[in-house]
């Protein structure tokens, strides 16, 4: 870690003129400039295909950007594999489809990375895993297999798994979109609790209640661009562009 | 809104018991429709006509005599005496007669190792070590020395061209399966690599081998390969054939494994990457366990066909079980007419092995699917 990256003032994530294309024609991110402060909680919303998932997936290099610079906690994302490994240790991610490993028990899902990436002895990894499972209130399911759990339980396990590497940044890619309505709340509760503990969070979601409750900033994207960003209160009550006004009227309209 | 009432849930009750009896079973399975009834009657009639004849030939009119003249008497069924007379030649081939305890012990050791390896309790690093020792012992017993140098065991040397029969079948299939399986996994991963050179090499390998029959691979290994070797360098035919079978089998198996890799959702790789696992950690811990579990039936299919394809080595003058049967009966005018009995005998041997493999594969399937049971 460089000394400069630890200073409070410097942003933990920086996007500088980032551009990305899928194939030759689909310009999915266009001139993205973004600075995320340490401990900041950001909600990203926008219509489907607007590039919001791609944006956060660039932060841990699940997607490569072709132009511009992305710096995460003082390390720039390039083809350097060691830099990517370093950043992935500091960035946890939660997916829409949970992506738990179905052939491993809940506990094994959680200990895998601490043991093989963090080089922790098994016992220590298990202790850490159980602590995280307690945090998401699911410790009693530790020895079950993921597919034996409900969707909401699986997503909470996925959050615990991402937390096991003690990341500085958590990325959420539509974490409640694949859940039954009755299970959304249990996942959001865990996320709200997490938000209160000062971890940097970037969350792609359409749960506007969550955005109002915890976000420091809401980013609205469309067609690969950041259309508007503002504090949630301002964004919801006083959207600055016609595009965001139109979007909000559609998702809040009923 | 008016008063809220408490909703009364109905208690769960067990599913109704299905009536199981002979008559309902017959009606459901054999006489469910007129097509079904017709099939039942035709098959039943054929069985009634031919089954007694077959059983009569196999058991009731069969003879165990080792005198071929008695077999020729009218009304005599199968002449099992041919097996009694020739079983050592069929099982051990041209291996020197008085030394045949050696392939017997060696094969018994190999079979024991195979059975032990199938039992979960023994799966550990020690098993791999035990295999190294067992294979060394196998070759010392069969060949009489190790690497042709250490003659300290006091055994006469038996060159590989005299090995044959069941020991050869089992050795060829075990070794080629053990080598082809890991190779197929590497090739399957290689075909999905993002490095174009590796991807091209693996694709070329699979497509080239799949475009050629096994017989020509064996011919090339046996007859053409030596032409390209520098003068004075020889590699044992058996080894060349073994490599040929392995390369052939691995190409097919690689495609089965690739099917399993293809079936996994991309999210599994992404989740592993987001947790910081390296490429090989991801493959070993996340991707392969799941991909291989889905293709157990296909892989076992390949194993069984390798086991039976070893019979093709007869065309390059290596006599495994099928080859030794011909060897045993063709040279003996007295017994030559009783090939059918001989073939039924080796059929039974092949069947026992193949059936064991297929039952074992069902057990493995059940084991790997445990995490999917509720």
């Amino acid at each position: 870690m460089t000394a400069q990256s630890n200073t409070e003032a410097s942003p933990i994530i920086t996007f500088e003129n980032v551009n990305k294309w899928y194939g030759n024609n689909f310009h999915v991110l266009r001139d993205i400039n973004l600075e995320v402060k340490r401990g900041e909680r950001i909600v990203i919303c926008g219509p489907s295909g607007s590039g919001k998932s791609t944006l956060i997936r660039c932060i841990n290099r699940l997607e490569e950007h072709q132009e511009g610079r992305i710096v995460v906690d003082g390390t720039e994302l390039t083809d350097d594999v060691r830099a990517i490994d370093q950043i992935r240790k500091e960035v946890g991610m939660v997916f829409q489809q949970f992506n738990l490993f179905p052939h491993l028990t809940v506990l094994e899902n959680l200990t895998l990375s601490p043991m093989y990436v963090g080089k922790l002895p098994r016992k220590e990894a298990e202790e850490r895993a159980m602590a995280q499972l307690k945090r998401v209130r699911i410790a009693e399911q530790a020895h079950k297999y993921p597919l034996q759990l409900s969707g909401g339980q699986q997503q909470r396990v996925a959050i615990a798994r991402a937390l096991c590497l003690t990341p500085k940044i958590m990325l959420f890619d539509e974490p409640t979109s694949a859940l039954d309505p009755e299970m959304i709340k249990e996942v959001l509760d865990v996320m709200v609790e997490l938000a209160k503990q000062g971890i940097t969070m970037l969350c792609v979601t359409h749960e506007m209640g969550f955005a109002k409750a915890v976000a420091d900033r809401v980013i609205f994207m469309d067609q690969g661009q950041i259309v508007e960003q503002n504090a949630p209160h301002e964004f919801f009550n006083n959207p600055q562009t016609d595009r965001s006004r139109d979007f909000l009227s559609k998702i809040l309209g009923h | 809104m008016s008063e809220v009432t408490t909703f009364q849930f109905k208690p769960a009750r067990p599913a109704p018991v299905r009536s199981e009896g002979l008559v309902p079973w017959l009606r459901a399975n054999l006489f469910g429709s007129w097509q079904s009834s017709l099939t039942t009657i035709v098959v039943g009639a054929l069985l009634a006509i031919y089954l007694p004849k077959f059983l009569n030939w196999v058991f009731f009119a069969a003879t165990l005599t080792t005198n071929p003249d008695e077999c020729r008497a009218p009304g005599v069924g199968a002449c099992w005496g041919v097996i009694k007379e020739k079983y050592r030649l069929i099982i051990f081939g041209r291996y020197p007669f008085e030394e045949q305890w050696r392939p017997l012990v060696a094969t018994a050791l190999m079979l024991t190792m195979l059975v032990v390896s199938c039992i979960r309790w023994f799966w550990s690093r020690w098993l791999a070590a035990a295999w190294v020792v067992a294979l060394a012992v196998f070759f010392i017993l069969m060949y009489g020395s190790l690497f042709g140098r250490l003659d300290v065991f006091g055994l006469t040397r038996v060159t590989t061209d005299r090995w044959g029969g069941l020991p050869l079948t089992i050795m060829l299939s075990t070794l080629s399966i053990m080598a082809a399986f890991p190779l197929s996994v590497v090739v399957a991963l290689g075909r999905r690599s993002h490095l174009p050179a590796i991807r091209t090499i693996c694709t070329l390998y699979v497509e080239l081998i799949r475009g050629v029959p096994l017989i020509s691979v064996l011919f090339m290994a046996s007859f053409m390969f030596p032409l390209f070797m520098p003068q004075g360098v020889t590699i044992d035919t058996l080894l060349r054939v073994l490599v040929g079978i392995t390369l052939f089998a691995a190409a097919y198996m690689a495609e089965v494994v690739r099917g399993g890799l293809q079936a996994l959702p991309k999210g599994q790789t992404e989740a592993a990457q987001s947790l910081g696992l390296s490429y090989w950690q991801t493959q070993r811990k996340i991707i392969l366990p799941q991909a291989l579990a889905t293709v157990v039936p296909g892989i076992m299919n390949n194993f069984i066909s390798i086991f039976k394809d070893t019979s093709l080595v007869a065309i390059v003058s290596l006599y495994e079980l099928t080859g030794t049967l011909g060897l045993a009966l063709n040279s003996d005018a007295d017994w030559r007419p009783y090939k059918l009995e001989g073939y039924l005998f080796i059929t039974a041997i092949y069947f026992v092995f193949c059936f064991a493999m297929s039952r074992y594969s069902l057990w493995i399937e059940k084991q790997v699917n445990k995490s999917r049971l509720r």
Side-chain angles (χ1 to χ4, degrees):
Chain A
M1 213 64 25
T2 53
Q4 141 246 345
S5 74
N6 280 331
T7 53
E8 282 298 313
S10 71
I12 192 162
I13 303 170
T14 313
F15 281 72
E16 269 174 36
N17 292 320
V18 171
N19 279 284
K20 175 172 176 61
W21 290 261
Y22 285 133
N24 291 326
N25 295 320
F26 186 26
H27 197 169
V28 62
L29 294 180
R30 306 180 196 174
D31 292 329
I32 299 288
N33 283 293
L34 178 66
E35 287 194 348
V36 180
K37 290 197 282 287
R38 244 159 244 283
E40 196 177 11
R41 293 154 304 210
I42 292 179
V43 161
I44 303 166
C45 59
S48 67
S50 61
K52 51 198 191 308
S53 286
T54 309
L55 178 79
I56 66 165
R57 286 158 62 89
C58 281
I59 296 171
N60 63 352
R61 196 71 167 185
L62 289 186
E63 305 284 356
E64 276 174 44
H65 59 284
Q66 284 112 321
E67 284 178 8
R69 269 160 51 90
I70 301 176
V71 182
V72 180
D73 201 23
T75 311
E76 187 180 348
L77 276 170
T78 55
D79 287 331
D80 180 7
V81 180
R82 238 181 291 164
I84 296 171
D85 284 346
Q86 180 58 37
I87 284 168
R88 282 178 179 163
K89 274 187 216 171
E90 293 175 15
V91 180
M93 186 159 197
V94 176
F95 300 85
Q96 181 178 0
Q97 300 296 342
F98 327 138
N99 293 349
L100 294 175
F101 307 130
H103 62 302
L104 302 176
T105 63
V106 165
L107 189 63
E108 287 165 343
N109 264 279
L110 268 70
T111 54
L112 188 74
S113 177
M115 279 172 65
Y116 289 93
V117 180
K119 306 282 177 217
L120 281 190
R122 175 183 295 274
K123 200 162 165 284
E124 219 168 296
E126 282 180 356
E127 278 165 15
R128 190 188 279 193
M130 287 312 290
Q132 293 300 345
L133 286 175
K134 283 202 188 90
R135 190 171 176 182
V136 300
R137 293 184 291 275
I138 206 163
E140 70 284 357
Q141 313 280 14
H143 296 287
K144 283 196 182 167
Y145 286 99
L147 296 183
Q148 295 167 330
L149 306 182
S150 73
Q153 289 173 322
Q154 288 189 51
Q155 194 60 299
R156 284 187 282 148
V157 170
I159 294 173
R161 179 175 71 176
L163 289 172
C164 269
L165 272 182
T166 53
K168 294 180 180 166
I169 302 162
M170 281 288 281
L171 308 174
F172 293 85
D173 190 0
E174 305 207 30
T176 55
S177 302
L179 294 176
D180 290 342
E182 282 188 322
M183 292 167 182
I184 291 176
K185 188 176 177 298
E186 65 186 59
V187 171
L188 288 180
D189 285 348
V190 167
M191 289 168 63
V192 169
E193 234 166 83
L194 197 61
K196 285 181 194 152
Q197 290 162 7
I199 196 167
T200 309
M201 276 170 85
L202 279 90
C203 186
V204 174
T205 185
H206 294 135
E207 294 295 332
M208 292 305 141
F210 173 79
K212 282 175 191 162
V214 306
D216 299 314
R217 181 160 36 140
V218 176
I219 292 177
F220 174 66
M221 286 183 75
D222 192 18
Q223 295 181 30
Q225 295 169 61
I226 295 178
V227 176
E228 184 174 344
Q229 44 182 324
N230 219 330
H233 178 79
E234 279 298 303
F235 178 73
F236 289 116
N237 296 325
N238 190 17
Q240 299 296 309
T241 62
D242 52 344
R243 184 64 191 91
S244 40
R245 208 165 287 182
D246 181 47
F247 177 76
L248 284 173
S249 75
K250 278 174 187 153
I251 63 165
L252 301 174
H254 53 87
Chain B
M1 200 184 274
S2 62
E3 229 174 287
V4 177
T5 53
T6 310
F7 184 80
Q8 289 294 322
F9 288 97
K10 287 172 187 158
R13 60 191 178 90
V17 185
R18 282 178 57 198
S19 59
E20 294 286 351
L22 184 61
V23 176
W25 185 87
L26 283 177
R27 194 167 295 155
N29 293 299
L30 298 180
F31 298 98
S33 62
W34 71 265
Q35 294 98 326
S36 171
S37 309
L38 186 68
T39 316
T40 305
I41 290 166
V42 170
V43 171
L46 287 175
L47 278 179
I49 296 167
Y50 290 106
L51 194 61
K53 281 187 184 169
F54 179 72
L55 290 177
N56 192 45
W57 183 81
V58 173
F59 297 111
F60 308 123
T63 166
L64 287 173
T65 178
T66 49
N67 179 358
D69 293 332
E70 285 176 40
C71 288
R72 262 176 236 129
V76 172
C79 179
W80 296 115
V82 65
I83 309 297
K84 216 172 176 181
E85 188 74 11
K86 299 286 186 188
Y87 77 94
R88 289 199 42 178
L89 194 51
I90 296 173
I91 300 235
F92 296 117
R94 295 187 296 164
Y95 207 88
F97 192 80
E98 59 287 354
E99 298 283 342
Q100 283 178 0
W101 64 271
R102 280 157 55 181
L104 179 67
V105 173
T107 309
L109 175 72
M110 199 84 134
L111 289 177
T112 312
M113 282 305 295
L114 285 171
V115 171
V116 163
S117 307
C118 288
I119 301 168
R120 189 182 217 148
W121 195 79
F122 290 102
W123 293 350
S124 70
R125 254 168 230 168
W126 292 106
L127 189 62
W131 264 109
V132 173
V133 174
L135 287 175
V137 171
F138 181 89
F139 280 99
I140 290 169
L141 275 172
M142 292 293 286
Y143 193 63
S145 70
L146 197 57
F147 306 122
R149 288 195 192 86
L150 294 156
D151 275 327
V152 290
F153 304 101
L155 300 169
T156 46
R157 202 173 284 188
V158 180
T159 47
T160 54
D161 55 324
R162 303 205 60 182
W163 299 12
L166 191 60
L168 189 61
T169 299
I170 289 177
M171 188 271 279
L172 276 177
S173 29
T174 306
L175 286 185
S176 46
I177 284 172
M178 276 177 14
F181 180 55
L183 179 61
S184 73
V185 170
V186 171
V187 172
L189 290 176
R191 277 199 80 167
R192 287 162 51 90
S193 167
H194 54 266
L195 305 172
I198 292 179
R199 204 168 51 227
T200 312
I201 291 169
C202 292
T203 310
L204 269 179
Y205 161 69
V206 169
E207 297 304 341
L208 276 180
I209 297 272
R210 285 205 304 182
V212 180
L214 177 57
I215 291 200
S216 30
V217 173
L218 293 177
F219 259 117
M220 273 191 266
S222 175
F223 301 124
M224 275 177 61
F225 185 71
L227 300 178
F228 301 112
M229 293 301 287
Q231 201 107 63
V233 178
T234 53
I235 300 175
D236 196 281
T237 314
L238 184 63
L239 182 62
R240 278 182 270 137
V241 162
L242 191 57
V243 170
I245 296 178
T246 301
L247 291 179
F248 186 80
Y252 281 84
M253 229 186 297
E255 287 297 279
V256 176
V257 174
R258 195 166 68 92
L261 294 172
Q262 223 86 300
L264 270 196
K266 205 167 160 244
Q268 291 289 306
T269 313
E270 288 177 352
Q273 285 177 339
S274 79
L275 288 168
L277 295 178
S278 70
Y279 174 81
W280 285 110
Q281 283 172 333
T282 305
Q283 304 306 323
R284 208 163 70 80
K285 292 282 166 190
I286 307 301
I287 305 302
L288 285 176
Q290 296 185 68
L292 294 179
T294 59
V295 294
V296 168
I299 299 260
M300 195 47 84
N301 222 358
N302 279 91
F303 284 4
I304 288 174
S305 77
I306 294 174
F307 180 71
K308 291 185 297 184
D309 282 352
T310 55
S311 56
L312 289 173
V313 300
I315 65 139
V316 292
S317 315
L318 288 171
Y319 295 96
E320 50 59 73
L321 197 52
T322 316
T324 49
L325 179 73
L327 214 58
L329 298 188
N330 288 342
S331 57
D332 192 334
D334 284 342
W335 293 109
R336 206 179 296 151
Y338 305 103
K339 261 194 177 164
L340 183 56
E341 286 85 341
Y343 273 114
L344 282 175
F345 175 62
I346 61 165
T347 300
I349 296 178
Y350 277 115
F351 180 78
V352 166
F353 282 102
C354 294
F355 190 67
M357 283 196 254
S358 100
R359 298 311 294 186
Y360 183 65
S361 126
L362 286 181
W363 180 79
I364 287 279
E365 267 176 66
K366 232 180 253 169
Q367 297 296 308
V368 296
N369 284 328
K370 266 188 180 159
S371 67
R372 298 189 180 268
L373 299 176
R374 296 225 159 219

